Amino acid sequence: MWMFLIIFEVAMLVSSIGFKKYVWFISLGYGFSVMVIGGVLLGAYWQSQSIGTILACAFLIVYGARLGGYLMMREIKNKAYNEKMKKEIKSGKNMKFFVKCCIWVSAALLYTCQTSPVLFRLENRSGTDVWLIVGLSLSVLGFLIEVLADIQKSRAKKKNPKRFVDKGLYRIVRCPNYFGELLIWTGLFVSGLNIYTGVLQWICVIVGYLGIVYVMFSGARRLEERQNRTYGKEPEYQAYYKKTPIMLPLIPLYSVVNWKWLVA
């Protein structure tokens, strides 16, 4: 597990950017941690890599770079969004240093556990097999859904900034980018179901997977609350809200706003 500790330290180093701005622990720190972990795994195991594991490491790099870059550009360019988020997300200015450290460590540990399916495949020298191909394909599908959802929302908001988005993927679920994120990490989790060995490896991958599922549903709940405040009185939004699942296609789950345990 020595390599697990190394990538945990890498995630801590990268996500320490959150001490500059609290939310960066779980935004920029998230994307760039995954990117750097992918690069470290690619280099550390270069001599024993298979085509499949190279692609898995490359996927982590591309995913993390895209997410981190997207969030960074939004921070830099979208002043209206940043002003809006100041009302939605705590600034962390009055947060005690110990609490920040706890968030920092737990976030870095989550990112390490999320990416651990790739690490354990490399450590166990399992190479490329059907599980990896299927899992990675699912992750790529989730990545494409996430990218397309962000593009569609950006275009819709340019046309009408004050209207909610219900076109394209948003006809299927209200949070398609979160659904895409779930597919990404479900795919990575599935990719190693045949190679995890020992209790510690299973604990790591399960903690990572359940952790990101919790984070995604917490994000969906925050978004639902925000949209209810903004559009809740509009009949058109109410009709959309009542007929469109919040995150999982074909699953009649339309609201998580009453799930009080979803706090993040």
Side-chain angles (χ1 to χ4, degrees):
M1 294 290 284
W2 63 271
M3 194 61 190
F4 182 91
L5 296 177
I6 289 177
I7 63 173
F8 173 55
E9 291 173 359
V10 167
M12 287 188 66
L13 177 63
V14 176
S15 59
S16 64
I17 191 175
F19 285 105
K20 173 70 174 178
K21 187 176 181 181
Y22 159 71
V23 72
W24 288 354
F25 280 129
I26 53 175
S27 58
L28 297 181
Y30 174 33
F32 290 132
S33 289
V34 173
M35 179 190 74
V36 175
I37 288 172
V40 170
L41 292 178
L42 185 62
Y45 293 91
W46 182 251
Q47 292 184 342
S48 60
Q49 294 272 7
S50 67
I51 295 297
T53 56
I54 289 174
L55 291 175
C57 292
F59 177 79
L60 293 179
I61 295 170
V62 172
Y63 163 83
R66 183 262 165 189
L67 177 60
Y70 173 81
L71 294 173
M72 180 177 288
M73 292 305 295
R74 191 171 67 181
E75 286 278 344
I76 295 171
K77 291 186 175 182
N78 199 332
K79 293 182 179 180
Y81 176 85
N82 289 331
E83 288 300 319
K84 186 177 182 180
M85 287 301 99
K86 285 181 180 179
K87 301 176 182 178
E88 303 291 338
I89 300 176
K90 296 177 181 179
S91 66
K93 290 182 178 180
N94 299 321
M95 186 178 293
K96 293 182 179 179
F97 181 73
F98 174 74
V99 175
K100 285 187 177 182
C101 286
C102 290
I103 295 171
W104 172 43
V105 173
S106 60
L109 181 60
L110 175 60
Y111 309 151
T112 306
C113 289
Q114 283 178 245
T115 55
S116 65
V118 180
L119 166 64
F120 294 146
R121 177 168 289 276
L122 290 165
E123 276 200 340
N124 298 339
R125 300 185 181 278
S126 300
T128 305
D129 54 29
V130 172
W131 285 93
L132 178 58
I133 294 170
V134 171
L136 196 54
S137 298
L138 190 61
S139 294
V140 171
L141 175 61
F143 179 79
L144 294 176
I145 289 174
E146 191 172 55
V147 171
L148 181 58
D150 287 339
I151 291 173
Q152 290 176 341
K153 183 173 183 178
S154 178
R155 289 177 177 175
K157 285 297 183 180
K158 284 182 180 179
K159 290 182 179 180
N160 192 345
K162 296 183 179 181
R163 190 183 188 281
F164 62 93
V165 182
D166 61 346
K167 306 297 182 183
L169 293 173
Y170 291 83
R171 290 180 179 272
I172 303 172
V173 289
R174 302 205 308 277
C175 300
N177 50 342
Y178 290 163
F179 171 61
E181 189 81 3
L182 284 181
L183 282 182
I184 288 170
W185 297 107
T186 297
L188 283 181
F189 176 73
V190 167
S191 73
L193 285 178
N194 65 322
I195 58 92
Y196 304 137
T197 59
V199 175
L200 286 178
Q201 288 193 5
W202 277 102
I203 289 175
C204 288
V205 296
I206 290 173
V207 166
Y209 181 63
L210 293 182
I212 194 59
V213 170
Y214 178 87
V215 170
M216 288 301 102
F217 273 96
S218 294
R221 182 174 182 267
R222 285 197 304 271
L223 180 60
E224 182 181 357
E225 289 180 325
R226 188 161 68 246
Q227 289 185 335
N228 285 346
R229 288 194 296 270
T230 306
Y231 311 113
K233 296 181 180 180
E234 300 179 16
E236 191 176 7
Y237 174 75
Q238 284 298 322
Y240 171 68
Y241 178 90
K242 292 176 181 178
K243 72 177 183 180
T244 310
I246 188 165
M247 187 155 53
L248 303 176
L250 306 179
I251 304 298
L253 176 63
Y254 301 102
S255 174
V256 293
V257 73
N258 292 324
W259 293 9
K260 304 298 184 182
W261 48 272
L262 286 176
V263 289

